[in-house]
Amino acid sequence: MKKVAALLVALTAASCIFTGCEPKKKDIKSVKVAQQKSDSYESAVKECFDAMNSEGGGEVFYSYMYPDAALDAMKQSGEFDSLVKTFNDTQAEIQKDSSDDYSYTGVKKAKELSEKQVEGAKSYFVELCEPYVADIKEDAFDIREGYEIKFSYANKGEAAGEESVIVVSLNDEGWKVITH
């Protein structure tokens, strides 16, 4: 139970990073998000942002945040459905009382990850997986590409802010997004 509570706190923090803890939009557009089908880091960040700012985006959000080994273990234990439901319910509650309408506006700056950042990303994935996958090591993660990017977003068509994230192509899983 403590692990679930810690995970929910971490996800709340991640949500705050992407949105600055501002209330979400009220009239939710039906954003079509394809679970981990992005072919570029730009489209992965956009899809992850859209999942975080649309009703029902929890499953896609988690697919971008966790390695598949952790996702599979969460699904087998039954935790995944509960986490997705909590995420989706929380988003719906936040959006219910808000008139905000966030939209992704694009990558402003991108820089390839240094070797030190790649090693840090591998360590991060080990920490994410440890509660779900026993004895996972950094060598289980093959980061083929990685970028530190800054992207911008708008609220009701007006510039609302910029955020920085790390995006990596992990194993054969597609892109994963790491928030700062």
Side-chain angles (χ1 to χ4, degrees):
M1 191 58 150
K2 289 180 183 179
K3 290 179 186 177
V4 173
L7 182 61
L8 290 175
V9 169
L11 291 173
T12 301
S15 293
C16 290
I17 287 169
F18 270 110
T19 63
C21 288
E22 294 292 322
K24 306 277 188 258
K25 59 188 174 186
K26 187 175 190 176
D27 297 320
I28 301 164
K29 296 177 184 153
S30 219
V31 178
K32 186 75 172 168
V33 283
Q35 190 170 340
Q36 274 296 43
K37 300 299 180 198
S38 298
D39 58 356
S40 68
Y41 70 87
E42 294 98 336
S43 62
V45 172
K46 179 186 184 316
E47 186 170 54
C48 187
F49 181 88
D50 288 346
M52 289 184 65
N53 292 285
S54 63
E55 197 167 323
E59 187 172 349
V60 173
F61 170 76
Y62 283 114
S63 74
Y64 277 107
M65 302 309 274
Y66 282 90
D68 286 355
L71 291 170
D72 292 343
M74 284 189 269
K75 288 175 183 176
Q76 288 178 356
S77 72
E79 287 183 59
F80 184 75
D81 290 338
S82 175
L83 291 172
V84 168
K85 181 179 179 343
T86 300
F87 181 94
N88 290 342
D89 291 349
T90 302
Q91 287 296 92
E93 188 64 30
I94 290 169
Q95 294 172 7
K96 180 173 69 174
D97 299 323
S98 178
S99 63
D100 290 335
D101 185 8
Y102 289 107
S103 59
Y104 176 86
T105 56
V107 172
K108 298 298 232 179
K109 182 178 168 183
K111 178 180 94 172
E112 276 193 61
L113 294 183
S114 68
E115 193 59 38
K116 186 175 180 177
Q117 288 173 306
V118 168
E119 292 307 312
K122 289 179 180 183
S123 293
Y124 172 80
F125 288 131
V126 167
E127 287 180 33
L128 276 181
C129 289
E130 280 180 341
Y132 310 103
V133 182
D135 301 322
I136 194 156
K137 304 288 184 225
E138 290 179 9
D139 62 358
F141 302 107
D142 178 23
I143 296 177
R144 298 174 181 174
E145 284 182 78
Y147 303 93
E148 181 176 7
I149 69 161
K150 183 180 282 188
F151 70 91
S152 59
Y153 59 94
N155 183 4
K156 297 180 186 174
E158 298 290 324
E162 294 181 346
E163 297 295 334
S164 295
V165 295
I166 290 176
V167 185
V168 297
S169 175
L170 184 65
N171 300 336
D172 290 327
E173 303 175 21
W175 294 97
K176 301 295 180 182
V177 178
I178 303 171
T179 59
H180 301 248

